[in-house]
Each structure stands twice: as structure tokens, then as C-alpha cells.
Amino acid sequence: GATLAERLAEEIRSRTAQQAEAQQYGSEAEGERDFVIEFGLLDAMSMSNVSQGLEVSKLAALKNAASRMAKLVKPGGTWISISAVPPALHVPLLGRLANGMFALPSESEDAAAGTHAIVLPPAAAAQSKTGLRGAAQVADMLLYGSESVHIWAYRMQRLDDSASDLAESSPSPSAPDAGLLDIIRQQRPATRDDL
């Protein structure tokens, strides 16, 4: 069957835009687009389990992804980032990565301000042969306060090139990568080592 991105592109084509396409990160054709929807790319990059020495490569990958989004989205266009990370943690990451290239969404769940909460109802309880019965429901209760899974869509408008040039030429704060690494570390789920 078609991937989620392919199904979404087809749905967008059938309703509004004739030129919607589904592409894997890094395989996109050059050129600017009116909007780009990114499904969990930043989550996958920031939550990947790497050793201390590899955090610099994770940081570089995230910066490259944000830079690529800025090249793909034309000024006035929109980048929609779909994430499992709540706004209070994800918006600061987007802010540091966007580097003034995009207008940032709200840190609260406010659709008018660019942060859309999507609540997926709990799936029918499936028996796991290896896990505890109800473990998924308990995990969702701890993460989201309910059995429903929450994801967020962050809508960011690409600023015009003059604002982007200003952001790139402004001096950066001291030790910017250290602060960004702290934000990236907050993106991942807790592990036993955190206890």
C-alpha cells in the first residue's frame, strides 16, 4: 500500500493543489514549494539513541534538516512539522533550528497561533505475547494523561529573504550549540537511566 505521505499527497492533489508530491528527506527535487509537511523527521533525529560522542552529529543533522526546510519552502510558504513532542519542549527546538527563517508557532495548544493538537482515540486493546496486558494504556496515561495518543502539528510560515538575511547576520549567543544540545536531549523519552 501507499505510505502515509503518499496518501496525504494524493488527498491534497484531489482537493486543492495539483502539484502535491511525497518525497523522502534528502531525495527532494530542488526548487521552492508553497508548503512542506514533515512527518516526525525532527523527532527521529532528536530522539535517536546515540552515545555522548555522537551528539555533535545529531546536532549537525538537525541543523541540516532545518536548513533544508528553509530551502524547500518559498518565502511566505508554510512548513508543517508533525511531532509526538509537546509544544513546551518542541517549540524551543524549532526556534533554535529555524534561526529566524520561520515565524514560530505558539508553545500552547493554540491552532490560531500555529500549534494544533491532534488526539487519536485509544486503539482496541491488543494482547501482546511479550508485554503486560494494558501496558500501552498505562504508558499513554503517563505520557498524555489519558489513554488517547497526542501528536502535534506545528505550522510555521517562511519569512521573506530580508528577515532571513537579518537573522543570519545577527550575532549568536555564546555557546549556542551547548544550549541547543540541552533542548535536543529534552526531546527524547525518558529511560531507566534517567531514574
Side-chain angles (χ1 to χ4, degrees):
T3 66
L4 179 59
E6 290 167 340
R7 292 191 325 240
L8 181 60
E10 181 58 37
E11 185 67 22
I12 291 169
R13 268 193 301 275
S14 70
R15 292 178 187 254
T16 57
Q18 296 300 312
Q19 301 215 349
E21 57 188 42
Q23 299 289 319
Q24 283 189 317
Y25 173 68
S27 67
E28 317 87 4
E30 292 301 318
E32 295 179 325
R33 289 138 177 91
D34 290 321
F35 66 90
V36 172
I37 301 173
E38 165 256 314
F39 286 97
L41 174 68
L42 300 181
D43 285 1
M45 289 178 165
S46 63
M47 290 186 205
S48 63
N49 194 9
V50 297
S51 65
Q52 183 71 19
L54 296 178
E55 281 189 329
V56 174
S57 64
K58 181 190 291 192
L59 178 63
L62 284 161
K63 285 180 172 182
N64 286 338
S67 176
R68 183 69 182 146
M69 292 299 155
K71 289 177 184 172
L72 288 172
V73 179
K74 71 181 182 181
T78 302
W79 168 17
I80 298 174
S81 178
I82 308 295
S83 176
V85 179
L89 296 173
H90 201 62
V91 171
L93 175 68
L94 292 171
R96 293 293 295 271
L97 293 174
N99 197 26
M101 302 287 282
F102 290 89
L104 295 178
S106 171
E107 283 191 36
S108 62
E109 292 179 5
D110 181 0
T115 301
H116 305 260
I118 303 164
V119 180
L120 305 173
Q127 286 288 343
S128 171
K129 294 180 182 181
T130 59
L132 297 173
R133 182 179 59 193
Q137 288 82 6
V138 171
D140 290 339
M141 289 290 290
L142 291 172
L143 287 170
Y144 310 115
S146 74
E147 289 185 24
S148 300
V149 173
H150 294 64
I151 57 174
W152 290 269
Y154 301 96
R155 180 176 33 89
M156 297 163 285
Q157 185 174 15
R158 172 81 156 70
L159 302 175
D160 65 20
D161 288 330
S162 62
S164 301
D165 294 341
L166 180 64
E168 288 176 11
S169 65
S170 64
S172 57
S174 62
D177 287 351
L180 184 52
L181 279 172
D182 287 339
I183 293 171
I184 293 167
R185 288 182 195 114
Q186 294 173 7
Q187 304 297 302
R188 68 169 178 76
T191 65
R192 289 182 188 194
D193 296 335
D194 295 326
L195 298 176

